[in-house]
Amino acid sequence: MDHDYIEEYQVAERYVMGTLPEEEVERFEDHYFSCPECQERIEIARSMRRGFQRVAREDATVLTSARQLAFVAWLTRLGRSRQIGALFLAFAVITLLPAGLSWQAHSESGRAREDARAAERLLSSERARSAQETARLRSDLQKSNRDLDQAREARAEADERLARALQNSAKAPLLYLEMERDADPGSPPTQQLRQPEVPVELAVDPSFASYRVVLKNAQGHEIWSRAGLRLTEDETLRFRLLASVVPPGDYTFVAEGSASGGKPATAGRFPFRVVPAD
C-alpha cells in the first residue's frame, strides 16, 4: 500500500472512523507502523474527529438551551394544572437525561481505551516480529561465515595437497605417447603408464588453434577431460594426470582440435595401459 493510494482513498481517515474494510485494515497497519508520515496523518485525523465531536456536543448544548427556553415560553401559556403536569414531566426528563449522557460518555471512553489497548498490542507484536527477524538474519549470517571459513580451510588444504603432488610428479619421467594409426581395437595397447603420476605429452595434429583432451576407459566411457590446451613450442600437448583418476587398466586419450569458428574434429587417438607400481 503506497501513499498515493492512501491519500486518494482517504485510508487513514476511514481507518480512524472505523469504516475501512477489514482486509485493508491489515494492509494499512502493516504499512503505517513503520511510516512516520502515515502515523502523523492518523494523529491529525483523530484530532479532527475529536474536534468534530466537541463541536457536536456544543451544538447539542445550544440546541438544548433553546429547547428549554421554548419550553418555558410554552409553559407560561398553560393553565396552572397543566403547568404542574408539564413541570413534573420536565423534572423526570432532567433527572434521567444526565444519567443517559453519563452512560454514553462512559461507553465512548471504554471504546477509546479498548482502541488504545488494541493499538498497543499490535505495536508490541510488530516489535516482537522485528526482533525475531533480526535474530534470524544474524543467525544466518553467522552460519554463512562459518561455512565460508570451512570452505577456505578446505581450499587451502586441497591446494597444499596439489602442490605436494605436483612437486612429487616433477621428479617422474615424461611419458611421450605416439599416435597409433589403423590399430586393431581388440589388441592390447603397446604404450604403458606406470603409477602414481607422470606428466603426459601427446603428439597431435598441429593444425588446430586449441585442443580438448578426453580420457576414456576400456568401455568407451569418458572419465576425465581438459579443454583449452594449446601446443607447446615443439607442437605437442602437455598436461599432468593424477593416479587416482586412472587405476590399472586400458585407456584411450582422444584429442579434439577446434579451429576458429569451426566444429571440433579428432586430432589424434592414444590408447595406453596403466600397470600397478612395482
Side-chain angles (χ1 to χ4, degrees), residues 150-170:
Q150 293 176 357
R152 288 173 177 170
E153 292 176 359
R155 174 64 181 273
E157 184 179 354
D159 290 343
E160 184 179 355
R161 289 199 303 268
L162 179 60
R164 289 197 301 267
L166 293 177
Q167 183 178 4
N168 294 333
S169 65

Side-chain angles (χ1 to χ4, degrees), residues 36-232:
E37 181 179 346
C38 287
Q39 292 175 5
E40 182 179 0
R41 189 183 185 94
I42 287 177
E43 187 62 29
I44 293 173
R46 286 175 175 167
S47 299
M48 292 179 63
R49 185 185 182 190
R50 288 193 294 268
F52 291 152
Q53 291 174 344
R54 184 169 58 254
V55 171
R57 286 195 295 268
E58 293 175 355
D59 291 344
T61 302
V62 173
L63 180 60
T64 301
S65 299
R67 288 177 178 175
Q68 290 175 352
L69 292 174
F71 175 74
V72 172
W74 172 76
L75 188 62
T76 58
R77 294 194 297 270
L78 297 178
R80 184 174 182 78
S81 60
R82 297 179 65 183
Q83 286 179 355
I84 294 174
L87 288 173
F88 178 78
L89 178 61
F91 174 77
V93 171
I94 293 173
T95 303
L96 296 176
L97 182 59
L101 293 177
S102 176
W103 176 85
Q104 181 180 5
H106 178 74
S107 177
E108 291 180 356
S109 177
R111 286 196 297 269
R113 287 195 297 270
E114 183 62 28
D115 291 341
R117 285 194 292 267
E120 185 177 356
R121 288 194 299 269
L122 288 173
L123 182 58
S124 300
S125 175
E126 185 68 19
R127 288 174 177 171
R129 184 169 59 183
S130 298
Q132 292 175 355
E133 183 67 14
T134 300
R136 185 185 66 81
L137 293 175
R138 184 179 294 109
S139 177
D140 291 345
L141 178 60
Q142 292 175 351
K143 183 178 181 301
S144 299
N145 290 335
R146 289 195 299 269
D147 293 343
L148 181 59
D149 291 340
Q150 293 176 357
R152 288 173 177 170
E153 292 176 359
R155 174 64 181 273
E157 184 179 354
D159 290 343
E160 184 179 355
R161 289 199 303 268
L162 179 60
R164 289 197 301 267
L166 293 177
Q167 183 178 4
N168 294 333
S169 65
K171 301 176 182 179
L174 180 68
L175 175 66
Y176 183 85
L177 297 181
E178 290 284 353
M179 181 169 35
E180 292 189 359
R181 304 180 184 277
D182 301 329
D184 186 0
S187 61
T190 58
Q191 305 177 96
Q192 295 183 349
L193 173 64
R194 192 171 299 275
Q195 292 180 319
E197 176 190 274
V198 293
V200 178
E201 181 174 330
L202 303 180
V204 297
D205 183 348
S207 58
F208 297 96
S210 64
Y211 296 83
R212 174 176 178 262
V213 176
V214 178
L215 177 63
K216 297 184 178 181
N217 58 17
Q219 290 74 35
H221 298 152
E222 179 179 329
I223 60 174
W224 177 90
S225 67
R226 177 171 296 178
L229 296 176
R230 298 185 180 278
L231 295 177
T232 62

Side-chain angles (χ1 to χ4, degrees), residues 243-268:
S244 58
V245 178
V246 282
D250 292 344
Y251 300 90
T252 301
F253 279 120
V254 178
E256 298 177 349
S258 297
S260 299
K263 295 182 178 179
T266 301

